[in-house]
Amino acid sequence: MKFSQLTILLFRTVPALVPAYFFISFNSAAASPFEPYETNESTALHPKLFFQANKVEELRRKAQSTHSEIWQPIIDYVTWRFGDSAPPAGAPDEGQSAYRNYANRLLPFAFCAAMTGLDSLKNFAKSYLLRLASWQQWGNNGYRDLALAHMLLANSLAYDWLYNELNESERQLVRSSLTARAEQMYEASAGARQKDWGNWWRKSYVQNHHWINNSALGLAGLTLLGEDSRAQKWIDQAVDQMKRVQFLLDGVGDGSWHEGMHYQSYGLTLSLPFLRCLKDIQQIDLLPATYLQNYVDWRIYNDLPGSTSPLFSHGDYERDWGNAYPPQNILRFIAAEFKDGSAEWMTQQIIAKDGRYANQWRAPWYVFEFLYYDPQIAAMPPNDKKLEREFPDFSGIIWRTGWHEEAMVFGLKCGGYAGRFAIQSFISGTWPWQQPYSESGGQLNIGHDHDDTNTFYLFNRGNWLAGESESNGGYATSLHNSILIDGQGQYRPGSNWKEPAAFVESAGMLQKHFTSVNFNFVATDATARYKNTAGITGVNREVLFVKPGYFLIFDRLTAETNHQYTWITHFEKNVSVEDNWIRGGGENGQALAVGVLRPRDFSITTGDDGKPFVRISSAQPIRNESFVTFLQPLGENNWLSRPAISLMAETENARLFKVINNLGPSFVDEVIMEKRNAGIKPVAHYQTDTHLAIVRRDGSGNLSKLLFYNGSYLKDDSRQLELIASERNSVFIDVDYAQKTVYIHGAGNGQIRIYGADLNAVYANDSPIPFRKAGPFLIINADKVAPAVPTGVQIEVQ
């Protein structure tokens, strides 16, 4: 039930649940929930998790002031489900989801009982707690996994918050249940793997089960300090395991997570309560600070205008899960802990788009959001952030055209399994891993990872244009936007996750990327991801974004023998084919035009595997193949005004493409793409050794923009015009003739000569640098040796 629908219901049907003091105005300012923790005289004193008894009145004031927007759906849920959601008398004979749900529901009941002090609520929450304590098992078939973890977490918090409402016999019942189940989880975490326990997770440090189960054990230990002599042992085991998680997460560093967004939210949501309370009570800080602070940008750059879905829908993910384990509790923890206004801004964006829901899927986690929230942290919008972000451990990149509602967002995922740091440390066997894994039980669990290297994503003006066929368990490469070889997808090591050899040379790589005012470029290598297909020597994808309008995707595929290659992308609504054009329909009148420039001979098939897709295949098996595709978002009504694209010329060394814009300002782009590095050679009316170049002329034929990447020379023979000469090869040059500015990215100090008498500013790696003029040329690094004129090339200028 949505929060807004419940407000009236709350007051009409169960007014007794809302005490009068909740409507009194308080003038005192609310304090941050992250104040120094007051040490109890006895560790057995309750409550002590998140708050102590002398803080309850302050929390009540917050509920009616700064925190009311969070509090309302919690109390709405409790009001709605009060009295009709009691657990059964005996443990259910159901799967672990049933146990998780019964445990999760206890959290808002116990919290609201402590907050309101109402006898009716306290009695119901107590009865609920006592009923769970009487069950003979806290997991399906006695498994010691997530069901047990949820039960431990919820029962620990409820016992702590309701302690003073329980009589001694009731305390003893709950305590006995908690201690027995905590010891079970301890044995599962610290002991050997037992089939009947289902504790495969005990050395699986980069899998969410490991974090959640150990964090629940630690929270139970903190709860029972001073009441059971084993409590510190349980805490120590949890600390030992979560130190490993802290190390690995900070090694990941960039805030990403290989299992997918939902499993990342799940793992962090259920781990942070222990980490927070451990820091409060025992002053042990296991927060992965680097990771958490970069998590904010991970969420911000993945944020899609008008959508609750992230851009990267990698791994096990389904859109109808929504904001499961809502990430605003994580972001508000980070905002308070690190005084991070960006985290607060991202939180507010999620809430504005997703709203509030008073149901069992959201209310339990709003409790933690309430306890973490610091209203003193002002939201800081990302206006000053760059519009591109690399996530190096994830091996992915995101480009945006802005932070506004009409923004275009593009992403490319280049990595393989588990992220770079985890897979490298697992293969090498460095701490926290311990080889041989057949003896230690260590495993690199990739059960939620998909075979999706080099998948691209495109979202524009509030609509998906190129997503993937998202699903839980949809591993196959065919469900993503990548390449098939002989109908087969990328390498997958099966379920033998204990063998480092299974992961050696299995990752994709983000090789290079550049971002400038008018162009973005990224180059990747996914060759190792196809090690399951014999004789593959190269699978390389390069993407050029010609701002703000279109993309060119270049795929180079090489092998020792002939293969059938297939290029795949998915669309949101429908797909149709017109000659060498594919129209991918989106929502709200949006479409993606996909033009096929290469292969020369190809076939197109369409279908639906959960999403409409197109597959472009080489006409027959061939040893080496290239796919060159043109992508432009446009409105369905503008389909007939799509650009005219063509291959102008092709040599053994390079190709020359032409793009004529028919929508908006008139321009012609001539695009040079290298096939092989053979020095300065002609292609049509150009002489060049560039890897990639674009020469744009406006409707009057004047130079408008120029892109030059990884070469030393570019000349237009049709105009006898030398455009660029450079003493270094690894340079990325963006010349904006309209703005009279040059942008350079890359390293090196050789002299560069650029045509343009009116050019008057140069930026190198975003910083202004000096230059001089020489006739119609602009000279950079003029004190260096001038680049030589290639033999046989005559230089004239207009």
Side-chain angles (χ1 to χ4, degrees):
M1 184 176 292
K2 190 133 185 189
F3 154 55
S4 59
Q5 297 173 312
L6 280 173
T7 306
I8 297 174
L9 175 66
L10 170 66
F11 297 112
R12 282 182 179 172
T13 60
V14 220
L17 284 178
V18 186
Y21 60 73
F22 265 65
F23 302 98
I24 299 174
S25 298
F26 292 88
N27 295 322
S28 58
S32 165
F34 286 72
E35 296 173 348
Y37 196 84
E38 296 180 16
T39 304
N40 290 316
E41 294 182 2
S42 167
T43 55
L45 196 64
H46 298 280
K48 59 183 173 181
L49 302 179
F50 290 102
F51 57 86
Q52 296 172 287
N54 62 354
K55 296 293 183 181
V56 172
E57 286 298 329
E58 183 178 297
L59 292 176
R60 289 171 176 168
R61 288 193 292 271
K62 290 178 179 180
Q64 289 305 300
S65 56
T66 57
H67 292 49
S68 61
E69 187 260 345
I70 310 171
W71 166 253
Q72 195 64 56
I74 303 172
I75 191 64
D76 281 353
Y77 171 72
V78 169
T79 303
W80 175 40
R81 297 309 307 268
F82 174 72
D84 71 353
S85 59
D93 185 18
E94 302 177 46
Q96 72 175 1
S97 291
Y99 288 89
R100 288 193 288 186
N101 291 338
Y102 282 121
N104 296 347
R105 291 171 197 151
L106 177 57
L107 290 170
F109 287 128
F111 183 63
C112 287
M115 286 283 287
T116 66
L118 287 173
D119 288 340
S120 54
L121 256 184
K122 289 189 293 186
N123 290 334
F124 180 76
K126 282 171 51 180
S127 297
Y128 198 118
L129 173 63
L130 294 169
R131 178 67 60 85
L132 296 184
S134 71
W135 284 2
Q136 296 304 304
Q137 64 176 13
W138 276 4
N140 47 310
N141 301 316
Y143 278 7
R144 304 180 182 188
D145 198 0
L146 292 176
L148 177 57
H150 280 249
M151 293 288 282
L152 273 175
L153 180 141
N155 282 267
S156 295
L157 288 168
Y159 175 71
D160 181 64
W161 295 342
L162 298 174
Y163 183 88
N164 295 314
E165 306 303 327
L166 301 169
N167 61 38
E168 188 51 44
S169 63
E170 292 169 335
R171 293 171 186 169
Q172 181 58 41
L173 173 63
V174 178
R175 191 160 51 237
S176 296
S177 177
L178 269 177
T179 56
R181 273 49 184 269
E183 183 65 16
Q184 288 177 346
M185 187 66 88
Y186 170 81
E187 292 170 347
S189 176
R193 180 173 180 177
Q194 301 287 334
K195 182 178 181 180
D196 291 344
W197 293 354
N199 63 330
W200 55 266
W201 48 266
R202 72 198 203 288
K203 298 285 182 71
S204 191
Y205 308 126
V206 293
Q207 218 278 350
N208 66 86
H209 290 229
H210 176 272
W211 313 357
I212 293 166
N213 295 340
N214 282 291
S215 294
L217 172 63
L219 196 68
L222 291 173
T223 303
L224 295 167
L225 274 174
E227 298 176 68
D228 191 290
S229 60
R230 297 167 294 180
Q232 190 58 53
K233 177 186 73 171
W234 302 330
I235 296 170
D236 291 344
Q237 174 64 15
V239 166
D240 176 71
Q241 294 301 300
M242 295 305 289
K243 277 183 179 177
R244 300 162 192 263
V245 175
Q246 178 192 42
F247 175 79
L248 287 167
L249 287 181
D250 276 340
V252 170
D254 62 10
S256 67
W257 191 240
H258 67 103
E259 294 184 290
M261 287 287 199
H262 284 318
Y263 284 100
Q264 180 182 38
S265 293
Y266 183 33
L268 289 174
T269 292
L270 273 78
S271 298
L272 286 176
F274 167 60
L275 300 181
R276 159 72 192 280
C277 292
L278 178 70
K279 188 176 179 183
D280 285 345
I281 295 171
Q282 294 200 327
Q283 291 74 55
I284 298 173
D285 187 353
L286 295 184
L287 293 174
T290 299
Y291 181 84
L292 290 175
Q293 290 176 86
N294 283 315
Y295 171 82
V296 177
D297 272 357
W298 172 246
R299 295 296 314 199
I300 287 175
Y301 280 89
N302 268 283
D303 185 54
L304 300 177
S307 172
T308 58
S309 299
L311 178 68
F312 284 131
S313 53
H314 66 287
D316 278 346
Y317 171 88
E318 296 189 18
R319 284 194 209 170
D320 61 7
W321 289 350
N323 265 324
Y325 296 92
Q328 55 260 42
N329 85 87
I330 304 165
L331 289 162
R332 280 198 154 143
F333 176 91
I334 295 168
E337 179 70 21
F338 302 107
K339 309 303 180 190
D340 190 332
S342 294
E344 177 58 26
W345 178 87
M346 188 66 251
T347 302
Q348 293 180 15
Q349 295 301 299
I350 293 172
I351 295 169
K353 290 187 289 187
D354 195 37
R356 292 286 191 184
Y357 292 85
N359 60 36
Q360 68 177 355
W361 317 113
R362 304 297 180 86
W365 321 120
Y366 294 157
V367 171
F368 295 128
E369 181 188 354
F370 184 101
L371 293 166
Y372 298 147
Y373 177 45
D374 181 354
Q376 303 303 315
I377 305 301
M380 181 181 297
N383 300 334
D384 294 332
K385 290 184 182 291
K386 293 183 177 181
L387 294 177
E388 68 286 335
R389 177 66 186 262
E390 177 191 1
F391 295 94
D393 191 85
F394 185 71
S395 293
I397 197 158
I398 294 176
W399 298 331
R400 306 182 64 100
T401 59
W403 304 105
H404 49 84
E405 291 299 309
E406 300 294 302
M408 184 190 302
V409 191
F410 173 88
L412 183 66
K413 179 185 183 295
C414 320
Y417 300 121
R420 291 173 58 185
F421 186 78
I423 197 170
Q424 290 168 4
S425 62
F426 178 80
I427 291 171
S428 64
T430 55
W431 192 86
W433 306 102
Q434 183 181 355
Q435 294 183 351
Y437 299 125
S438 58
E439 297 179 11
S440 70
Q443 61 170 242
L444 189 68
N445 190 304
I446 58 163
H448 292 304
D449 294 42
H450 289 190
D451 308 335
D452 55 3
T453 300
N454 273 356
T455 286
F456 66 90
Y457 306 81
L458 183 58
F459 187 92
N460 186 50
R461 295 188 174 187
N463 298 276
W464 275 105
L465 295 181
E468 56 187 358
S469 190
E470 310 99 342
S471 64
N472 186 9
Y475 311 119
T477 305
S478 61
L479 299 173
H480 304 85
N481 300 336
S482 191
I483 298 289
L484 299 180
I485 301 178
D486 298 329
Q488 301 300 308
Q490 295 164 7
Y491 168 75
R492 192 171 185 86
S495 58
N496 189 11
W497 300 327
K498 294 183 178 180
E499 291 298 329
F503 294 97
V504 172
E505 296 182 0
S506 68
M509 295 184 292
L510 193 160
Q511 294 177 302
K512 295 179 180 178
H513 69 93
F514 300 98
T515 300
S516 193
V517 172
N518 299 299
F519 307 97
N520 289 352
F521 175 79
V522 61
T524 73
D525 185 348
T527 308
R529 297 294 298 116
Y530 294 86
K531 60 188 285 187
N532 52 315
T533 302
I536 299 300
T537 57
V539 180
N540 299 92
R541 170 164 283 181
E542 298 178 340
V543 182
L544 175 68
F545 179 26
V546 182
K547 301 178 185 178
Y550 69 84
F551 298 84
L552 284 166
I553 301 180
F554 305 94
D555 288 288
R556 290 186 175 87
L557 307 160
T558 60
E560 297 172 349
T561 57
N562 290 347
H563 294 278
Q564 185 82 45
Y565 303 103
T566 302
W567 187 97
I568 307 172
T569 193
H570 291 77
F571 305 103
E572 189 64 19
K573 189 175 178 181
N574 52 53
V575 58
S576 59
V577 179
E578 299 179 24
D579 298 322
N580 67 324
W581 283 97
I582 298 114
R583 174 159 54 181
E587 300 290 346
N588 301 311
Q590 297 294 304
L592 179 63
V594 179
V596 184
L597 289 160
R598 273 292 176 264
R600 185 187 302 272
D601 299 312
F602 60 90
S603 63
I604 296 179
T605 58
T606 61
D608 192 311
D609 54 14
K611 287 286 176 62
F613 67 78
V614 65
R615 297 185 182 183
I616 305 165
S617 299
S618 46
Q620 59 187 11
I622 189 171
R623 181 179 171 187
N624 302 326
E625 185 62 280
S626 293
F627 290 86
V628 181
T629 47
F630 173 98
L631 283 71
Q632 183 172 41
L634 43 72
E636 288 275 9
N637 294 334
N638 295 323
W639 177 253
L640 297 179
S641 300
R642 64 190 181 276
I645 59 174
S646 61
L647 174 68
M648 294 179 64
E650 181 169 4
T651 70
E652 61 180 353
N653 303 310
R655 297 186 178 99
L656 177 63
F657 303 100
K658 178 180 282 189
V659 178
I660 302 175
N661 189 50
N662 295 318
L663 187 64
S666 176
F667 65 79
V668 176
D669 285 347
E670 293 183 339
V671 183
I672 302 168
M673 190 67 197
E674 177 188 63
K675 292 171 62 176
R676 68 170 189 167
N677 189 345
I680 299 172
K681 299 290 182 180
V683 53
H685 52 280
Y686 290 100
Q687 294 193 54
T688 188
D689 62 349
T690 185
H691 179 74
L692 175 64
I694 292 183
V695 180
R696 173 173 292 186
R697 295 184 179 275
D698 62 21
S700 300
N702 299 314
L703 274 173
S704 172
K705 291 181 173 62
L706 174 65
L707 165 68
F708 181 86
Y709 167 58
N710 202 6
S712 65
Y713 192 73
L714 177 61
K715 178 173 179 281
D716 182 349
D717 280 339
S718 67
R719 293 174 168 81
Q720 285 299 302
L721 181 62
E722 180 192 79
L723 296 171
I724 289 181
S726 171
E727 275 297 294
R728 53 188 170 133
N729 291 321
S730 59
V731 66
F732 182 94
I733 302 174
D734 173 359
V735 185
D736 191 324
Y737 288 97
Q739 299 299 320
K740 303 178 181 180
T741 303
V742 178
Y743 306 93
I744 298 177
H745 297 268
N749 295 307
Q751 189 179 113
I752 303 172
R753 184 169 63 238
I754 302 174
Y755 174 78
D758 295 333
L759 297 172
N760 58 24
V762 179
Y763 292 85
N765 301 317
D766 299 325
S767 298
I769 62 170
F771 59 91
R772 72 174 175 84
K773 295 290 191 70
F777 295 103
L778 179 148
I779 310 297
I780 301 167
N781 298 326
D783 58 328
K784 305 298 181 182
V785 176
V789 175
T791 303
V793 175
Q794 181 180 1
I795 300 300
E796 298 180 15
V797 297
Q798 293 178 331

